[in-house]
Amino acid sequence: MEFEFITVNESYAKHIALIQLNRPKELNALNLQLMLELKRAFQLLDDNDEVRCIVITGNDQAFAAGADIKQMENKSAIDLLKIDQFETWDQIRKTKKPIIAAVSGFALGGGCELVMTCDIIIASETAKFGQPEIKLGIMPGAGGTQRLTKAVGKALAMEMVLTGKFISAEEALASGLINKVVPIELYLEEAVKMAKEIAVQSPIAIRLAKESVLKAFDSSLQEGLYFERKNFYMCFASEDQKEGMKAFVEKRKPVFIGK
Ligand code: DAK
């Protein structure tokens, strides 16, 4: 796959694809083209049956320092409306396969929002998370006020959004924003390790389970429980369910095929 601002490796490891943001001089600032490339990459990987888990990363210095301020500077509200970047973000959010973010350095503004649309977040000790839009006279627009608040709670979210302060990887871990902090030389390796644990499971059960967990964010408990129940029944329509349970009874490792 040929892209200008990202690189995509569909078979980084068995059943695992790697997307790398690649605008290092601009700290991976998310310009419009980069976001369109990301949307396309996630669609292609979602459609590729060989891929079971997607890892997205930046570089040691930055995951992404936010949307491209230079590109946004002179835009009017109507320009933004016409560009309709939300369509791109919505499509990325709809990716069915699990996404693990491997984060080092800055994850700010749109960069932090992109990280929060991922399913699991592994960070290096140097990672810094923040929603500094307030310092630019704007506010988060790609889910920051909602996902951050749901992840870390009102107190810290309010402080981060209203002051623009960054939090460290350790603070992000303690507040429930991320899954794990590891030394800088290990963050990608650790993310791929977790991707491998996911990739050996039934892709069907994984898809339904991801969908069900995400449902908890935008529904009442009762609605979420009904949704979960439907997806739980659906697992029993798969060959993988039969294989998984048969393997348990036969005391061997299951081999899942995604059917
Ligand atoms: N945009 C454009 N360029 C950026 C950038 C950004 N967000 N962040 C850094 N750069 C560029 C710098 O301009 C600099 O370029 P040159 O001057 O060398 O040409 C280069 O990257 C290196 O940056 P610094 O020299 O500033 O490096 P430092 O280590 O001194 O500082 C920093 C690192 C991350 C603290 C600093 O660069 C910084 O504060 N960056 C801005 C962070 C920020 O405010 N981020 C939020 C941006 S607003 C939407 C979806 C999402 C969004 C909006 C709408 N829709 C769906 C409609 C999101 C909005 C945002 O993210």
Side-chain angles (χ1 to χ4, degrees), residues 39-151:
K39 175 174 97 166
R40 179 90 189 106
F42 277 118
Q43 275 169 347
L44 287 168
L45 297 175
D46 230 9
D47 290 344
N48 179 345
D49 284 344
E50 274 305 299
V51 174
R52 293 186 179 185
C53 189
I54 302 166
V55 177
I56 179 168
T57 195
N59 54 52
D60 289 355
Q61 202 190 356
F63 178 83
D68 191 325
I69 301 169
K70 293 163 193 166
Q71 201 176 45
M72 277 189 301
E73 186 187 355
N74 294 313
K75 294 270 187 292
S76 69
I78 303 302
D79 292 334
L80 295 181
L81 187 74
K82 283 186 179 161
I83 294 168
D84 191 16
Q85 233 207 121
F86 289 112
E87 195 273 332
T88 304
W89 284 77
D90 286 346
Q91 280 305 324
I92 292 173
R93 189 178 47 78
K94 284 181 191 157
T95 304
K96 296 179 192 79
K97 290 180 182 158
I99 307 172
I100 301 181
V103 180
S104 180
F106 299 109
L108 306 175
C112 189
E113 288 169 315
L114 183 58
V115 164
M116 289 190 291
T117 63
C118 298
D119 303 306
I120 289 172
I121 304 165
I122 308 292
S124 89
E125 288 162 337
T126 65
K128 288 185 172 56
F129 299 85
Q131 297 290 160
E133 289 91 336
I134 206 76
K135 295 182 177 173
L136 301 168
I138 60 168
M139 59 172 277
T145 62
Q146 304 304 299
R147 290 201 182 89
L148 186 66
T149 308
K150 290 199 164 152

